Amino acid sequence: MSTASTRLPEGRYGRSSDARADRTLKVVGAVLGVALLALVGYFGYHYVGESKISAEVIEFDATKDAVKVHLEVRKDAGASGYCTLRSQAENGAEVGRADFRFDGDATRIDKVVTLRTTSLGTTAELLGCHAD
């Protein structure tokens, strides 16, 4: 006894609806992938390429009423802006916050700044830098 096949002959009646749906999904997936890649590239360019001033905390020394912070600032020549620092106590409460300006023609600035605090600060955190 043989079993009769219920499949249609291949290529005789055109593409099945599943093949069309698969092709549509591939096209939509490719378009969305390219759009996502372009969006990531756009934000990456503006974050890295457009940044005119950035800084890094090298070290800090906390005393009873101040925190001395060694900053390394990198910026475009002639650009000016400021960096915001904050210090927190051991319990997480903010005990000091200040903005420090950086301008001039130098592209790299090593500077020790003093952040005044209301009590002993245990951290020195760079919140960010902004160009004017």
Side-chain angles (χ1 to χ4, degrees):
M1 291 222 272
S2 69
T3 307
S5 173
T6 57
R7 291 182 43 193
L8 298 173
E10 299 249 352
R12 186 167 185 182
Y13 297 102
R15 295 175 120 173
S16 71
S17 62
D18 287 343
R20 270 182 252 133
D22 287 347
R23 183 171 188 273
T24 302
L25 285 175
K26 286 180 186 176
V27 169
V28 168
V31 168
L32 289 176
V34 168
L36 179 64
L37 192 61
L39 189 65
V40 167
Y42 174 79
F43 284 121
Y45 172 76
H46 281 284
Y47 181 74
V48 175
E50 296 288 317
S51 179
K52 295 184 182 208
I53 184 169
S54 64
E56 179 181 1
V57 173
I58 304 300
E59 64 181 350
F60 67 93
D61 182 31
T63 61
K64 183 176 136 183
D65 61 347
V67 177
K68 291 187 185 288
V69 182
H70 179 191
L71 279 178
E72 181 181 304
V73 180
R74 292 168 302 282
K75 63 182 192 67
D76 292 345
S80 64
Y82 62 94
C83 294
T84 304
L85 292 171
R86 81 168 173 179
S87 182
Q88 293 177 308
E90 191 171 335
N91 65 0
E94 185 175 288
V95 294
R97 178 186 291 241
D99 293 333
F100 297 96
R101 289 204 57 77
F102 298 97
D103 42 9
D105 289 333
T107 58
R108 185 177 172 277
I109 302 169
D110 273 335
K111 188 172 184 180
V112 176
V113 295
T114 302
L115 174 63
R116 313 241 345 119
T117 58
T118 57
S119 64
L120 178 65
T122 58
T123 64
E125 182 180 2
L126 176 67
L127 296 179
C129 294
H130 306 281
D132 292 336

